[in-house]
Structure formats: structure tokens, C-alpha cells
């Protein structure tokens, strides 16, 4: 039997998401012990000690299901950002949230707009539900919001925006976002993916927009964030969306029960309170970013200025060749 024929058309044509090469895999292949992994935008400081303590305190309760509503984490987020808990949807990482949004608001035949060079999950969730991907050309490696606005049709249901964008690190400013939201019909859901918000808000405080400031005026806006990056909890998979309560109500109908585990819930709640660890992570990233840019310039390599915790550089030759050579030195990047 050809099992592919049993799947829906969108799934048959999918190619699985390719994560950064795991450290263990490189160790097995090359016998290298001291591996440096730069391929998945992880926090080199790891989790907050406060978060680790919270995890240890929860271990004896692992036989019980987590709080399916995530009350304490929602309350902590609401207090930090001055929100209603009814505006929050929790996810198994923000990837989970993006998938839930697509399945909630789009279906086969609908159109979903995103930019060239945008996050790889956008085309995956679009194709899986059988929607049509409308990919607008990038402008200087980043989002061309004017082109995305022109791409809107009667069939458009969703627009994905990443600010800053992964993998290019590019961003758009407050004026550009405001103009785009004003021009987008209210019937279209705009998803503002701020997975790297903490890094960006520190590096570009002047005109980098905070998506939460636009929610009251634009009820069709959903802001997604994660604890995987600056908070160093990538292994626990916990992210969240903030939106109009009516939208959150719909998302919470679609998300899976207990989609965030108990260790993730308690660790994320604790991590929100450890401002010192967060600031140390941001400062280390800023230092590292400056070093990369300095050495790229000395080597005559062009790069894309980034507001994330990663940077794209033109290595001047076949990227796969450089990638393979770095693997043999115990360094994992993305080609």
C-alpha cells in the first residue's frame, strides 16, 4: 500500500522541518567531544537558576497532569505586561501557537501571506492545512510590508510577520508596522511573531516596536513570544500568544489539552521574575554580536545586521562546504 495516498494533499507534499544538527549526532559521527552549537539560536547561559529550582520542586508531582489552563503562568504574564489572563494562549513553544492559529483561521483554498526568507514554520503550517502560500519578495533580505499589503485579496485569511525575522535578523520599525496595521482589513488576522523580542528591544529600543502596544487598537492582531530564546528554556517548549480575548477564546478551543507540561509551566513562571539572568543573557548576546560583526568586517565578509541572537553572513563560497568544514572542527552552524 502507498500510505502517502492516505494523507491529505497538503501533508503529502510536505518536507519535514530540519532543525539544527544535534550535538550528540555530531559527537557520534566525528567523535568530537567539545562541540559548539550555533545552529538553533539557543541561550549559551542556559536557564535561570530560579527556573531550575522551580523544576526540581515540581519533580515529585510528575504523575499528575499539568494545569491545563496554565493559571499561574498566565497570571505572571498578565502582571508583567498589564494584560487580562483572557488574552493569553499558551503553547508547546511558539511553533505550536503558530500551528494552532493557522488551523483556527484558515482552511483549504484560503490564502496566507508571508515574506520570502521568513521563518520556515510559516510555509509548513500553511501547506499542512491545504491553504495557498502567498510569498512576497524580500526587500534587502527583510519584510517588504508594502508588497505584503498589495498581496492581500478576498481570499487572504492570515498574514505572518516576524520581527525580527529568523533567519535574516532583519526588522521593521514602529512607523512601518503602524502603517501596515492601519491598511490591513480587520477581517484578516495579522500574526506578529516576536520570538526574539527581548534581544531586539534591548538592541533597538528607539524604534523597534513592542507588539503589545498595538493590541488595543488592532483587535485582529496576535502577538506570539517564547521562553526558548532569551529565557533559555528551549528544551521545555513553552511559548504564548497575546491577543483580543475573543481571538484567544478561539485559539484555546483548538489547542490540545495539557499542551504545556508542568515543568515548563513552573520554569517559565519562575524565569519571568529573574530579571538579572535575563539582562545577563542580553548583555552577553550584545557582546557576541559585536565580536562577530567586527571579525566579519576584518575578513571582508558581508553580513546582515541582526536584532536577534544570530547573524547571517555571506561566506563568499559554497555555504555547504564551509558548514561541513566547521562540523569537522566541532562547530555547528546553519548553511
Amino acid at each position: 500500500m502507498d500510505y502517502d495516498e492516505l494523507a491529505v494533499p497538503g501533508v503529502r507534499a510536505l518536507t519535514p522541518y530540519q532543525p539544527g544538527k544535534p550535538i550528540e549526532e555530531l559527537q557520534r559521527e566525528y567523535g568530537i567531544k567539545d562541540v559548539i552549537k550555533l545552529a538553533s539560536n539557543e541561550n549559551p547561559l542556559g536557564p535561570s537558576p530560579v527556573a531550575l529550582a522551580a523544576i526540581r520542586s515540581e519533580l515529585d508531582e510528575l504523575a499528575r497532569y499539568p494545569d491545563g489552563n496554565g493559571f499561574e503562568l498566565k497570571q505572571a504574564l498578565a502582571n508583567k505586561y498589564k494584560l487580562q489572563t483572557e488574552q493569553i494562549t499558551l503553547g508547546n513553544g511558539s511553533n505550536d501557537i503558530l500551528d494552532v492559529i493557522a488551523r483556527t483561521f484558515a482552511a483549504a483554498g484560503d490564502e496566507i501571506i508571508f515574506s520570502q526568507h521568513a521563518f520556515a514554520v510559516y510555509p509548513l503550517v500553511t501547506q499542512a492545512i491545504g491553504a495557498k502560500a502567498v510569498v512576497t519578495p524580500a526587500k534587502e533580505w527583510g519584510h517588504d510590508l508594502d508588497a505584503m499589503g498589495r498581496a492581500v485579496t478576498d481570499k487572504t485569511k492570515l498574514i505572518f510577520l516576524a520581527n525580527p525575522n529568523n533567519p535574516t535578523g532583519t526588522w521593521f520599525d514602529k512607523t512601518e508596522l503602524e502603517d501596515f496595521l492601519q491598511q490591513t482589513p480587520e477581517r484578516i488576522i495579522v500574526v506578529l511573531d516576536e520570538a526574539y523580542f527581548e534581544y531586539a528591544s534591548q538592541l533597538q529600543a528607539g524604534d523597534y516596536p513592542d507588539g503589545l502596544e498595538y493590541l488595543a487598537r488592532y483587535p485582529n492582531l496576535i502577538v506570539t513570544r517564547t521562553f526558548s530564546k532569551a529565557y533559555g528554556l528551549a528544551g521545555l517548549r513553552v511559548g504564548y500568544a497575546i491577543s483580543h480575548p475573543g481571538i484567544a477564546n478561539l485559539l484555546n478551543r483548538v489547542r490540545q489539552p495539557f499542551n504545556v507540561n508542568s515543568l515548563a509551566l513552573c520554569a517559565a513562571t519562575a524565569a519571568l521574575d529573574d530579571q538579572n539572568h535575563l539582562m545577563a543573557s542580553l548583555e552577553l548576546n550584545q557582546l557576541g554580536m559585536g565580536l562577530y560583526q567586527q571579525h566579519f568586517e576584518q575578513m571582508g565578509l558581508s553580513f546582515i545586521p541582526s536584532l536577534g541572537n544570530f547573524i547571517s553572513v555571506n561566506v563568499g563560497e559554497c555555504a555547504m562546504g564551509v558548514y561541513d568544514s566547521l562540523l569537522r572542527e566541532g562547530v555547528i552552524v546553519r548553511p
Side-chain angles (χ1 to χ4, degrees):
M1 177 179 289
D2 183 355
Y3 288 98
D4 279 1
E5 293 302 317
L6 302 180
V8 297
V11 172
R12 285 203 298 269
L14 274 178
T15 300
Y17 175 77
Q18 293 296 319
K21 193 179 191 70
I23 290 175
E24 296 78 10
E25 185 176 322
L26 182 59
Q27 289 172 332
R28 288 194 303 268
E29 289 181 359
Y30 296 107
I32 298 172
K33 293 183 178 180
D34 297 321
V35 175
I36 299 170
K37 185 182 178 188
L38 302 176
S40 299
N41 309 341
E42 294 153 336
N43 185 337
L45 289 185
S48 156
V50 177
L52 292 175
I55 291 170
R56 285 190 286 269
S57 70
E58 188 70 22
L59 291 177
D60 289 342
E61 299 299 319
L62 289 185
R64 302 192 183 280
Y65 284 99
D67 175 3
N69 191 44
F71 175 82
E72 290 189 3
L73 178 54
K74 284 185 179 180
Q75 193 64 58
L77 288 166
N79 291 340
K80 181 177 178 66
Y81 295 118
K82 297 179 174 56
L83 303 164
Q84 306 170 46
T85 57
E86 291 79 12
Q87 293 179 266
I88 302 170
T89 307
L90 301 179
N92 187 234
S94 56
N95 284 14
D96 181 34
I97 296 287
L98 299 174
D99 178 68
V100 168
I101 291 170
R103 290 189 290 115
T104 301
F105 293 106
D110 294 330
E111 293 179 353
I112 297 178
I113 299 173
F114 49 87
S115 175
Q116 179 188 21
H117 308 312
F119 185 35
V121 167
Y122 306 156
L124 288 179
V125 299
T126 299
Q127 190 168 328
I129 62 174
K132 178 184 177 182
V134 179
V135 185
T136 57
K139 181 179 181 182
E140 297 178 351
W141 302 104
H143 290 48
D144 184 340
L145 295 185
D146 290 336
M148 298 181 84
R150 291 192 298 271
V152 169
T153 71
D154 291 342
K155 294 182 178 180
T156 304
K157 291 295 184 70
L158 275 175
I159 301 175
F160 284 117
L161 306 176
N163 202 36
N165 181 52
N166 173 14
T168 61
T170 51
W171 72 95
F172 43 84
D173 63 26
K174 294 178 180 179
T175 301
E176 292 173 294
L177 177 60
E178 182 85 43
D179 290 347
F180 182 81
L181 292 173
Q182 284 183 352
Q183 295 169 19
T184 302
E186 290 184 3
R187 64 175 179 82
I188 297 173
I189 299 296
V190 177
V191 182
L192 183 59
D193 182 349
E194 292 186 336
Y196 300 90
F197 168 78
E198 290 81 9
Y199 295 112
S201 60
Q202 183 206 36
L203 291 171
Q204 191 75 10
D207 49 20
Y208 173 76
D210 178 345
L212 303 188
E213 296 179 358
Y214 300 85
L215 287 172
R217 285 176 290 150
Y218 302 101
N220 59 325
L221 176 66
I222 303 174
V223 178
T224 63
R225 292 182 183 174
T226 183
F227 286 90
S228 294
K229 308 304 180 185
Y231 287 100
L233 296 176
L236 287 178
R237 313 303 302 125
V238 53
Y240 57 98
I242 302 173
S243 63
H244 184 280
I247 287 180
N249 178 271
L250 292 169
L251 298 178
N252 281 308
R253 297 181 201 181
V254 175
R255 71 175 179 86
Q256 292 294 311
F258 310 114
N259 63 331
V260 183
N261 70 74
S262 55
L263 300 184
L265 288 171
C266 72
T269 303
L272 278 177
D273 281 336
D274 193 346
Q275 191 67 19
N276 291 335
H277 185 78
L278 176 62
M279 291 308 299
S281 298
L282 301 183
E283 289 167 5
L284 180 61
N285 183 69
Q286 193 167 7
L287 174 64
M289 186 69 72
L291 287 172
Y292 275 116
Q293 292 175 340
Q294 174 187 336
H295 286 285
F296 291 155
E297 288 171 351
Q298 291 173 355
M299 297 169 72
L301 301 177
S302 62
F303 59 87
I304 306 171
S306 171
L307 284 194
N309 64 339
F310 56 90
I311 188 165
S312 294
V313 57
N314 184 345
V315 295
E317 54 184 281
C318 173
M320 282 301 298
V322 174
Y323 166 76
D324 287 333
S325 296
L326 284 170
L327 283 184
R328 297 176 190 279
E329 298 294 331
V331 179
I332 307 173
V333 295
R334 294 297 284 266

